[in-house]
Amino acid sequence: YNYNFSPGEQREEIKSKLVKDVMGIAITAKSTANYSEVLSKLFIYDVGTIFIVDENNHLAGVTSRKDMLKLSRNADGQNLPIVLAMTRVPNVIYIYEDELVSDALRKLILHEIDCLPVVRDEKDGKVIVGKISKTTLIKLLLEMLEG
Ligand code: ADP
């Protein structure tokens, strides 16, 4: 517990945190990748969500562990394109860098998802600049509790 701040002050500090202050590194794969390439990224980077980008590096979709599990039941799943196992834009929920962390948290809860891409608008799409995951928020909570 941080005795330098009153509980009220601590709450104000958490409430004013921005997404860009706490976001993590997003792991991406190309929309041309196949199932097994994306699956190995899940293990190599030890993440639960991979963001899929198109040929312009713009957000195209998101693949989670459960999405991959579904495709794995297919006999020749290993060679199938990852686009068959992703939630596609415009159904992807995202957040901007200058939004509040509490808004990111609200989106995770509301949509029952583990991870949000942090994006920046470009002319014909959105580039991914980071991610906010449940782990990001648990780390933040611990930091706050320990001062
Ligand atoms: P898991 O599948 O490991 O439980 P999630 O709960 O995050 O992970 O994913 C559940 C479903 O929600 C999956 O079908 C996934 O594609 C989708 N999903 C995950 N993140 C997002 C997001 N940011 N926007 C929209 N859909 C998402």
Side-chain angles (χ1 to χ4, degrees), residues 125-141:
K126 298 185 186 314
V127 282
I128 304 170
V129 295
K131 71 165 181 194
I132 295 280
S133 67
K134 284 183 179 168
T135 309
T136 318
L137 297 166
I138 289 170
K139 278 186 194 156
L140 178 66
L141 181 61

Side-chain angles (χ1 to χ4, degrees), residues 83-100:
V83 291
L84 293 180
M86 71 180 196
T87 298
R88 287 164 187 271
V89 167
N91 294 323
V92 175
I93 313 297
Y94 54 81
I95 191 125
Y96 294 105
E97 291 167 281
D98 290 322
E99 290 190 78
L100 290 169

Side-chain angles (χ1 to χ4, degrees), residues 32 34 40 59-61 71 73 113:
T32 49
N34 65 26
S40 39
L59 177 65
L71 202 61
R73 297 172 64 196
I113 49 181

Side-chain angles (χ1 to χ4, degrees), residues 62 64-67 87 91-93 112-117:
V62 45
S64 75
R65 283 173 281 213
K66 249 176 270 160
D67 294 330
T87 298
N91 294 323
V92 175
I93 313 297
E112 296 180 19
I113 49 181
D114 291 347
C115 197
L116 294 174

Side-chain angles (χ1 to χ4, degrees), residues 35-106:
Y35 173 88
S36 59
E37 287 165 337
V38 179
L39 184 61
S40 39
K41 281 199 172 184
L42 275 187
F43 287 97
I44 293 167
Y45 297 101
D46 194 21
V47 290
T49 309
I50 306 271
F51 300 105
I52 310 299
V53 294
D54 65 18
E55 61 280 7
N56 299 315
N57 246 2
H58 290 150
L59 177 65
V62 45
T63 293
S64 75
R65 283 173 281 213
K66 249 176 270 160
D67 294 330
M68 303 229 68
L69 205 54
K70 265 182 246 162
L71 202 61
S72 73
R73 297 172 64 196
N74 192 302
D76 41 28
Q78 299 296 312
N79 299 316
L80 290 176
I82 195 58
V83 291
L84 293 180
M86 71 180 196
T87 298
R88 287 164 187 271
V89 167
N91 294 323
V92 175
I93 313 297
Y94 54 81
I95 191 125
Y96 294 105
E97 291 167 281
D98 290 322
E99 290 190 78
L100 290 169
V101 168
S102 57
D103 292 328
L105 189 51
R106 197 168 296 114

